[in-house]
Amino acid sequence: MSDRVVAIVGATGAVGRTMHAILEERDFPLGSLRLLASERSAGTRVETKWGDVEVEDLATADPAGVDIALFSAGGDRSRSHAPAYAAAGAVVIDNSSAFRMDPKVPLVVAGVNDAAATRHQGIIANPNCTTMALMMAAGPLHRAAGLTSMVATSYQSVSGSGHQGVVELLEQVDLLRPDADALMTGGWEDPAPRLYPRPIGFNVLPYAGSETELGYTDEEWKLVNESRKILDTPDLRVEPTCVRVPVLVGHGVAATLRFGRSIDPAEAMDILGSASGVQLWDETVPTPLDSAGIDDVLVGRVRPTLGDPGGINLWVVGDNLRKGAALNAIQIAELLS
């Protein structure tokens, strides 16, 4: 039995609860578990494999004694509290965007760039969940042929926006379902979306995230900048479009990949078929429903490029709460064991 102390920060959120579940599933070696969240959740008792644990208030909790701190409490709380945990001796594995592009902080996809984790200075960053899924396919192909460019269109589930996204989709489906005829003829009544700029029920929003420079959203820039950092390829050309779809869990990406040399589908499938953490589906098309609740990322529809031969088109989908967030954080912790 290890005597390490592991803390989950943001323990009562969807990713935090998934982190707790995965620690138990993988029998992660630890001596004790601490759970931290906002003041309103403090005092709640949670049954765990290591005994009942009382949720602590992050704002007042003492970071001393924590060996590994798994943060999933949002960027503001990470910026406010993660440095204190690192200074107290913990290795912080952060799921927010707060430190991803900090040159001193490794950005790690377990199974793709594991060696980067060893270069940490107290904080390691988890990539965006969409980037994560794509890198599980692109990383092994990059090692084989040298990725030079990507055109990537994401199809992101509402759980990527947190619990509010799930609630908004379900509410709108209930509101709009009785007006099926109107939905097909343009006579529907706007369900007054709150979280998203347009309705997500029975709809597709080609605008995931918040607009930043050049008309691209922050989600799209994450695909660009995080891919370059993870693959250590600063000149990688990326053309991103991020789309929100009426799916509860599972982010998919349709990608066109080009390399320093020609690569055909047979070689690509051979590489992907032996890649750790990847399931190659060559007979059935993988969907978000297939990815929900499993650790592996699913890859299918591997095809040659048509207009400019020598590249690969493929589809990749993964559970954004597991490999896209919680699982990867714990796999990073396992790399440090």
Side-chain angles (χ1 to χ4, degrees):
M1 168 72 74
S2 169
D3 60 356
R4 286 184 301 180
V5 177
V6 174
I8 300 176
V9 179
T12 57
V15 174
R17 293 195 303 271
T18 306
M19 286 175 170
H20 172 198
I22 293 174
L23 285 172
E24 295 193 346
E25 289 170 15
R26 297 173 77 87
D27 198 21
F28 188 88
L30 60 89
S32 62
L33 178 68
R34 292 177 62 181
L35 303 177
L36 301 98
S38 63
E39 182 181 8
R40 73 175 176 273
S41 297
T44 305
R45 296 197 70 82
V46 178
E47 183 179 342
T48 81
K49 183 176 181 178
W50 303 277
D52 286 357
V53 177
E54 183 174 315
V55 177
E56 303 173 54
D57 181 358
L58 173 62
T60 58
D62 184 355
V66 174
D67 296 296
I68 297 173
L70 305 171
F71 267 68
S72 187
D76 289 341
R77 289 190 179 94
S78 290
R79 281 184 283 269
S80 296
H81 297 282
Y85 278 77
V91 178
V92 173
I93 303 171
D94 181 49
N95 193 54
S96 79
S97 61
F99 305 104
R100 288 174 186 160
M101 299 316 299
D102 186 326
K104 299 186 297 294
V105 175
L107 183 64
V108 178
V109 177
V112 174
N113 64 330
D114 293 1
T118 64
R119 299 192 289 270
H120 73 83
Q121 299 178 36
I123 300 176
I124 301 171
N126 239 16
N128 176 263
C129 42
T130 306
T131 306
M132 187 96 67
L134 180 56
M135 289 299 99
M136 290 297 292
L141 296 171
H142 173 65
R143 287 194 293 271
L147 187 65
T148 59
S149 71
M150 299 192 303
V151 179
T153 301
S154 72
Y155 300 82
Q156 298 176 215
S157 67
V158 293
S159 59
S161 303
H163 181 63
Q164 285 180 298
V166 173
V167 169
E168 186 148 321
L169 171 59
L170 296 177
E171 287 180 349
Q172 290 182 8
V173 166
D174 286 342
L175 285 169
L176 292 168
R177 185 188 294 116
D179 295 324
D181 290 341
L183 288 173
M184 292 188 288
T185 59
W188 53 276
E189 183 176 347
D190 195 317
R194 300 182 304 276
L195 180 63
Y196 299 119
R198 303 297 312 282
I200 187 63
F202 300 109
N203 206 16
V204 168
L205 308 182
Y207 191 89
S210 304
E211 185 171 338
T212 58
E213 56 188 305
L214 301 177
Y216 287 87
T217 68
D218 55 350
E219 289 287 303
E220 290 161 345
W221 279 111
K222 289 171 188 175
L223 267 176
V224 176
N225 295 322
E226 294 179 16
S227 298
R228 290 171 174 170
K229 184 173 181 179
I230 292 162
L231 299 178
D232 194 21
T233 309
D235 295 330
L236 180 67
R237 301 188 300 277
V238 183
E239 302 294 346
T241 301
C242 289
V243 181
R244 190 73 65 185
V245 295
V247 168
L248 292 177
V249 174
H251 288 356
V253 184
T256 299
L257 309 178
R258 300 192 183 281
F259 305 88
R261 64 171 176 82
S262 292
I263 183 170
D264 61 29
E267 180 184 2
M269 287 190 286
D270 184 59
I271 293 166
L272 293 168
S274 60
S276 176
V278 172
Q279 289 185 29
L280 177 64
W281 287 34
D282 57 356
E283 295 183 359
T284 304
V285 177
T287 71
L289 286 176
D290 299 311
S291 75
I294 69 171
D295 291 347
D296 290 342
V297 167
L298 311 179
V299 181
R301 299 212 67 207
V302 180
R303 295 151 288 148
T305 52
L306 298 177
D308 184 5
I312 291 295
N313 287 311
L314 55 74
W315 165 256
V316 57
V317 63
D319 185 323
N320 51 293
L321 299 179
R322 289 186 72 88
K323 182 57 181 179
L327 173 64
N328 194 71
I330 292 165
Q331 288 175 320
I332 292 171
E334 290 171 343
L335 292 173
L336 304 174
S337 300

